[in-house]
Amino acid sequence: EYRSSAELTMQQTTKALRKTGLEVLGDRPWGTHFCVFYETDEDLLELLIPYFKAGIESNELCFWVLADSLTERDAWRSLNRGIPGLNNQRLPRNIEFLRSEDCYLKEGVFDLQRVTDEWGERLNSALAIGYDGIRVSGYAGWPQTREWPNFWRYEDSLNTSIAGQPMMVLCTYPLTGSNGSDILDVAHTHQCAVSRRSGNWDVIETAALKEAKEKIEELNRELEQRVIDRTNELSLAQAELARMTRLTTTGQ
């Protein structure tokens, strides 16, 4: 688990919802881990710019792991277009760019524990200098067949390792080169997935999310039934009280 000397601050900040910057998702709590499937760089930037804009405006340190098809210059240009009212002098202090090979691979090897630990170190450093937390956009177009099982386990482990931590993680998956089983694997390792359908961004519900929603609906139905039963019991009790009052009055 990620821990630091700023643990008290972390506990305080985990209570509030954070703006994702994405209308399709709205506000989400710290510890949110979701993914997006995209086709073009334009689609990707359309989603990432408001995502990072919300983080920068919320005193979060942002980390953008760039897609292989994008340069840091491309990212800066898009940020400047998408956040025209933001003081550009503040941007370099609030966002850092990483290449996928530098973030995930060392000497050509993906090490799940090393990558997890490095995100923990980045979080602790950000908290130590006064940020509320960190916001991450990862890139998952790089894994080859041999790395995929470990990377899949890493994605799955993030749900646990960032739970309750002042982190928000969005993983980006290019649809080009992905097959149906890859997409299914990815969706299962995230709390929710976002994809473009008919020109609009939609949330794809995973089996776990559907199960959770069904459980909530079941609990709501049970609660409503309890209210109905309690109301009926109260009505009967009031009727009996009224009857006893009438009998007492008549007797007197």
Side-chain angles (χ1 to χ4, degrees):
E1 282 185 80
Y2 303 153
R3 288 291 183 267
S4 76
S5 59
E7 187 169 6
L8 179 59
T9 302
M10 289 165 55
Q11 292 173 347
Q12 292 171 342
T13 56
T14 53
K15 297 177 182 178
L17 293 176
R18 311 295 290 188
K19 295 183 182 299
T20 64
L22 309 178
E23 185 178 350
V24 69
L25 286 176
D27 297 345
R28 297 279 170 140
W30 283 126
T32 294
H33 176 218
F34 62 104
C35 64
V36 58
F37 298 106
Y38 70 95
E39 289 185 325
T40 66
D41 288 343
E42 289 73 21
D43 288 345
L44 179 62
L45 292 171
E46 180 183 320
L47 206 74
L48 290 185
I49 299 307
Y51 173 71
F52 283 125
K53 180 177 184 289
I56 291 168
E57 292 175 344
S58 301
N59 192 41
E60 298 169 18
L61 181 56
C62 300
F63 293 91
W64 185 343
V65 182
L66 295 166
D68 292 340
S69 55
L70 293 175
T71 66
E72 189 170 325
R73 184 177 179 181
D74 295 329
W76 277 119
R77 188 183 300 115
S78 298
L79 284 168
N80 285 324
R81 282 199 306 265
I83 319 177
L86 192 67
N87 181 355
N88 287 341
Q89 294 302 314
R90 189 176 161 203
L91 275 174
R93 300 197 304 272
N94 284 264
I95 189 163
E96 296 182 17
F97 300 98
L98 302 168
R99 303 303 314 187
S100 58
E101 59 269 22
D102 298 328
C103 180
Y104 300 116
L105 300 173
K106 187 159 287 187
E107 298 179 355
V109 177
F110 175 78
D111 185 323
L112 183 155
Q113 193 59 52
R114 178 189 63 79
V115 176
T116 302
D117 290 345
E118 286 182 354
W119 284 121
E121 292 166 6
R122 293 184 182 104
L123 171 61
N124 291 338
S125 297
L127 294 173
I129 58 178
Y131 288 101
D132 289 351
I134 66 174
R135 179 171 299 225
V136 179
S137 169
Y139 173 65
W142 60 270
Q144 303 298 317
T145 302
R146 69 177 183 278
E147 290 109 0
W148 181 248
N150 280 337
F151 189 73
W152 184 88
R153 284 192 289 271
Y154 161 72
E155 287 279 63
D156 191 43
S157 71
L158 275 179
N159 292 312
T160 301
S161 63
I162 72 173
Q165 302 293 331
M167 292 180 67
M168 182 177 292
V169 181
L170 162 63
C171 301
T172 61
Y173 285 82
L175 285 171
T176 304
S178 299
N179 58 44
S181 62
D182 291 340
I183 293 173
L184 188 61
D185 286 345
V186 168
H188 277 297
T189 58
H190 294 79
Q191 296 164 8
C192 64
V194 178
S195 184
R196 203 170 186 78
R197 295 178 181 176
S198 303
N200 298 313
W201 290 103
D202 290 330
V203 174
I204 302 172
E205 295 186 349
T206 64
L209 181 58
K210 287 181 180 178
E211 182 179 349
K213 289 179 69 176
E214 289 171 359
K215 186 64 176 177
I216 290 172
E217 290 173 359
E218 180 183 346
L219 291 173
N220 284 337
R221 286 193 296 270
E222 291 178 1
L223 180 59
E224 289 172 2
Q225 188 59 50
R226 287 182 188 177
V227 171
I228 292 171
D229 292 343
R230 184 58 179 158
T231 301
N232 291 337
E233 291 173 3
L234 185 58
S235 296
L236 291 173
Q238 288 173 336
E240 180 63 17
L241 178 61
R243 188 181 72 84
M244 294 300 296
T245 300
R246 287 195 302 274
L247 289 175
T248 301
T249 302
T250 300
Q252 290 175 344

